[in-house]
Amino acid sequence: MASAQHQKKWRDKNRMVKSQLNVVARRTVHNELDRFSESYQLRGKGEAVSFATFVTRALVQRADFNTEAARMLDDFIEAYHRDRSMNGN
């Protein structure tokens, strides 16, 4: 973990554009974030979260005018909720 001095320096520098996100997640999520980072030339798990959000936002926007994308999004939402229920999340 970064020292308090380094954390303060980061917060001061990024105060207007970023906030730190500490998330407790299953090991598989951390593993997938590592994989995304490697596969898509990202700078770590934080950027992998940003990328996943970017891709999701793009899919939602595409679904607004493309029925196939809307169907895929609905399928992903249903599968996510089903998987979450089965795994006790």
Side-chain angles (χ1 to χ4, degrees), residues 22-89:
N22 293 321
V23 178
V24 175
R26 293 189 178 274
R27 175 58 37 206
T28 56
V29 171
H30 285 275
N31 292 343
E32 285 300 315
L33 290 173
D34 283 332
R35 193 176 66 77
F36 288 171
S37 181
E38 292 173 13
S39 297
Y40 302 110
Q41 295 83 44
L42 306 172
R43 291 183 232 132
K45 289 192 267 187
E47 195 170 39
V49 170
S50 295
F51 176 74
T53 302
F54 175 85
V55 171
T56 302
R57 186 178 63 228
L59 178 59
V60 169
Q61 290 172 348
R62 181 70 52 96
D64 287 342
F65 61 89
N66 181 299
T67 56
E68 183 58 27
R71 192 172 347 201
M72 287 173 58
L73 181 59
D74 289 341
D75 289 346
F76 295 153
I77 292 167
E78 182 181 328
Y80 175 80
H81 287 288
R82 184 178 52 244
D83 183 63
R84 183 178 66 179
S85 295
M86 288 174 33
N87 289 316
N89 292 330

